[in-house]
Amino acid sequence: MDRMPTLIVGFSFTYYIEGYLYIMKIGVIMMKNIKIYEPAMCCDTGVCGPGVDQELLRMKSVNKVLEQHDDITIHRYNLTNSPESFMENELVTKLLQEEGPNVLPITLVDNLVMKKGDYPDNEEWEKITGIAFTTEKEKKDVNTGGKCC
């Protein structure tokens, strides 16, 4: 079940126009709702079996980090285990019909397509969420130009 958005700043005021009462509520919602629609996999995360895909392993770690933040909801749907989720989302259904299964995975943020055909990389996740996902190896590569010592 989706959590309700977190209202960070808000106020309301009332006014009358031609004898009708209007109540205006204004606020800034800072919560991100992320949904990832993935190709068919053997299990919910795809991290199983003898040959584990490193990208799926990274996504499992990203998912775990994002689940710890109250202002972010993240849901992953894979075609094998949640086909109804694909059918319920008109945008995902349309993309699949127009572009075929190679469009997966599709990452939606607040129902807008952020990426399709691949998972967001760590830098893209940082832009989307404001959370740093740079690994220690990536930090070392940046500091040393990818060379050891």
Side-chain angles (χ1 to χ4, degrees):
M1 174 179 246
D2 290 341
R3 288 181 261 176
M4 293 301 294
T6 304
L7 186 62
I8 304 301
V9 177
F11 61 90
S12 65
F13 59 91
T14 59
Y15 60 96
Y16 290 90
I17 296 178
E18 298 179 2
Y20 291 96
L21 172 66
Y22 291 88
I23 301 174
M24 170 106 28
K25 293 186 178 185
I26 299 175
V28 178
I29 298 176
M30 301 299 291
M31 183 171 203
K32 298 258 186 227
N33 185 5
I34 301 169
K35 294 181 180 179
I36 303 172
Y37 294 84
E38 302 174 289
M41 294 186 273
C42 59
C43 62
D44 288 340
T45 61
V47 183
C48 52
V52 176
D53 182 336
Q54 292 302 307
E55 187 66 354
L56 292 174
L57 190 58
R58 184 183 68 82
M59 282 307 304
K60 184 176 180 182
S61 297
V62 166
N63 195 77
K64 189 173 183 177
V65 169
L66 294 177
E67 285 177 340
Q68 295 173 2
H69 291 267
D70 290 335
D71 58 342
I72 297 172
T73 59
I74 183 163
H75 299 282
R76 291 175 69 184
Y77 306 106
N78 103 38
L79 198 50
T80 303
N81 298 332
S82 304
E84 68 282 352
S85 298
F86 286 72
M87 292 183 291
E88 290 170 359
N89 189 303
E90 292 178 20
L91 178 58
V92 171
T93 301
K94 182 179 176 187
L95 286 170
L96 279 168
Q97 289 172 346
E98 292 175 355
E99 300 182 39
N102 289 336
V103 74
L104 298 173
I106 301 168
T107 303
L108 302 181
V109 178
D110 298 330
N111 267 344
L112 299 173
V113 176
M114 287 295 133
K115 189 149 188 181
K116 58 185 182 174
D118 203 0
Y119 295 100
D121 60 28
N122 289 349
E123 187 176 301
E124 290 168 321
W125 278 119
E126 187 170 348
K127 288 177 184 174
I128 292 168
T129 65
I131 300 167
F133 285 95
T134 306
T135 64
E136 290 302 316
K137 181 183 182 319
E138 289 171 333
K139 287 178 187 175
K140 187 175 183 178
D141 286 350
V142 168
N143 295 333
T144 63
K147 299 175 185 172
C148 180
C149 311

